Amino acid sequence: MPLNIAFELNETHLLCLATGRIETSEELYQFNTAMVQAVEKTGLRRILLDMQKSDSSLDYHDVLTAENRETSDRFAMGGIRIAAVVSPHRLKAHQLYETMAINRSIVYKAFSGKQQALDWLHA
């Protein structure tokens, strides 16, 4: 199933619901671009990214390829903070993404629980 993205506006953050599968670095780039555009449209800088019903077949190189495009700079320069809620079996992969994000000055952290993610997002 291809990736589907839906956004919900909350008082303090933007909820991004992702379902389906990311198959290519281009799809990841489009996903990142959609998040940046939603932030620019709403003015909210905190994103609760719910990826519990999504999956990815991307390897390290694929993610790096997507992250090396200009959306990475827009995340960092826009002061965007992202708390990702992922299924427990995907947590280790997303912790690798945390390292990639830190190396690009992007504030991103993965959690297996929604409340933990919200607490960090608003800390």
Side-chain angles (χ1 to χ4, degrees):
M1 175 171 64
L3 186 67
N4 184 30
I5 309 164
F7 294 100
E8 291 180 17
L9 222 51
N10 290 285
E11 274 187 39
T12 59
H13 65 274
L14 183 65
L15 173 61
C16 176
L17 298 163
T19 57
R21 189 169 176 83
I22 300 173
E23 297 282 349
T24 67
S25 60
E26 181 61 29
E27 289 174 347
L28 179 58
Y29 171 73
Q30 291 171 1
F31 176 59
N32 289 344
T33 299
M35 280 196 294
V36 168
Q37 289 172 342
V39 164
E40 290 170 347
K41 182 178 177 181
T42 64
L44 292 171
R45 299 280 181 238
R46 298 175 193 270
I47 300 173
L48 179 62
L49 175 57
D50 187 338
M51 297 192 75
Q52 295 177 91
K53 295 182 180 178
S54 68
D55 200 8
S56 172
S57 60
L58 302 182
D59 62 16
Y60 181 84
H61 181 266
D62 293 328
V63 174
L64 198 55
T65 298
E67 294 302 318
N68 282 335
R69 294 177 73 175
E70 74 274 0
T71 52
S72 290
D73 294 337
R74 289 166 68 192
F75 276 118
M77 293 179 358
I80 300 169
R81 186 174 175 96
I82 305 166
V85 182
V86 301
S87 58
H89 77 278
R90 297 284 302 154
L91 188 58
K92 190 167 183 111
H94 280 268
Q95 288 170 337
L96 174 63
Y97 303 157
E98 286 178 23
T99 301
M100 294 171 134
I102 289 168
N103 291 339
R104 284 161 185 73
S105 301
I106 299 169
V107 183
Y108 173 94
K109 189 153 177 68
F111 301 89
S112 59
K114 184 177 179 179
Q115 191 56 54
Q116 287 177 305
L118 282 169
D119 291 346
W120 177 84
L121 191 62
H122 296 296

